[in-house]
Each structure stands twice: as C-alpha cells, then as structure tokens.
Amino acid sequence: MVSERNCMHTFDPVAELEKLNIPVQYLPLQDTLAAWDPERCRVYCGLGLHPIQKRCALTHELAHITLEHRRCAYGDDSVVTIASIAQEREAEMWAARKLISVVQFAAAQESGLQPSVIARELGVTDRVYRARFLAERLDETRWLGTELDDSLGLPL
C-alpha cells in the first residue's frame, strides 16, 4: 500500500486560483469538466463533480493559466489543431506534476498496486496518474538527453 504520509493532498487549485484573483464559476457544463476563459479571466467548473475530478480539472485549468495558453483544444468552434492538442498535453502533465510529487510517484511505483488503486490513494484521476507517467518519462528523457523508448511499458 502507498504510504499515507506520501498521499497527503496538499495542492489546492482553488486556493491557487484565489491567489491569482481568478474566480471559479460553477455551471452545468457539457462535454468538459472545467474550462479557462482568458477573455473573461475566469474558470468554469462543472456542477456535481466528485472532489477528485474537481481538484484535477481545476489544476489542469490553472496549468493553462500559468503556461499562458490562450486556446483550448476543444473550444466553442470545435477547431482542434496540433498546437491546441499539444497545449492540452502540456497542461495535463503540468497538473500531474503539481498533484503527484516525485516522492509520491516513486512510492506508488514501488507499491505494486494497480494504477486505478494508486490514483485513488493519491487523490487524482486515472488520467492524471497516466499523465504523471508521461511527465516522468519526458523529464527523464530531457535529463538524460535521450529519445523516448516505447519499450518502457507506459500504462495506457
């Protein structure tokens, strides 16, 4: 089992958004959990989300703000570009790094538990946990100066 000490959910995206004076407006959203609106300088969050979904979605939107993304991959006009998809991936990995520390990630890997169980214990969605794998591989690749090797067995 992943150590309880390592699983403390310390990152609070709502508090971080408050520090930036960015309001969160709760609405009945369709086809998305949350969205950053740079024109109105606010984040929209779906009503009735599970606390884990809410935490992960708001951290993802905070990533778009921090990384100064101006366009989501799935905007109102449904235009999806390679650049916008790259922004979504970058935001998801940023969020995963914020929500799962290196120590937590290492402990999770040593636990031998199923990814969905680990994600739940870490207080993140399965998607964010998978993004942490991608982020770790990307960080390691940059650090080592090597290319990604698909034989490493990244869980999908």
Side-chain angles (χ1 to χ4, degrees):
M1 192 159 234
V2 179
S3 167
E4 194 65 35
R5 192 187 84 222
N6 291 333
C7 294
M8 292 176 59
H9 312 302
T10 57
F11 187 79
D12 181 1
V14 174
E16 296 300 318
L17 289 164
E18 286 174 359
K19 287 179 193 175
L20 297 172
N21 293 317
I22 297 175
V24 177
Q25 185 174 354
Y26 296 90
L27 302 169
L29 300 177
Q30 292 184 348
D31 302 325
T32 190
L33 300 178
W36 161 236
D37 184 347
E39 287 80 30
R40 292 182 183 83
C41 196
R42 70 181 60 233
V43 171
Y44 302 109
C45 186
L47 291 170
L49 296 182
H50 184 278
I52 289 174
Q53 288 177 308
K54 177 182 167 184
R55 182 171 176 255
C56 292
L58 290 178
T59 303
H60 177 97
E61 298 313 318
L62 180 61
H64 284 303
I65 295 163
T66 302
L67 298 168
E68 299 180 354
H69 293 164
R70 296 288 171 223
R71 181 171 179 76
C72 290
Y74 309 104
D76 293 336
D77 56 7
S78 299
V79 174
V80 178
T81 65
I82 291 172
S84 64
I85 291 171
Q87 285 185 358
E88 290 301 316
R89 180 180 174 175
E90 183 181 25
E92 195 71 5
M93 286 192 293
W94 187 96
R97 287 181 184 104
K98 285 290 183 187
L99 295 169
I100 306 169
S101 73
V102 172
V103 172
Q104 289 171 321
F105 185 71
Q109 296 309 293
E110 291 175 3
S111 73
L113 296 172
Q114 292 295 317
S116 61
V117 173
I118 294 170
R120 188 170 49 253
E121 286 194 20
L122 293 173
V124 298
T125 61
D126 290 354
R127 179 182 171 128
V128 167
Y129 184 63
R130 287 191 308 268
R132 190 63 178 97
F133 270 96
L134 288 173
E136 192 66 22
R137 286 180 63 194
L138 182 61
D139 294 347
E140 183 176 291
T141 298
R142 288 179 177 161
W143 184 72
L144 295 173
T146 60
E147 295 297 319
L148 287 176
D149 179 1
D150 287 336
S151 69
L152 294 177
L154 174 67
L156 301 173

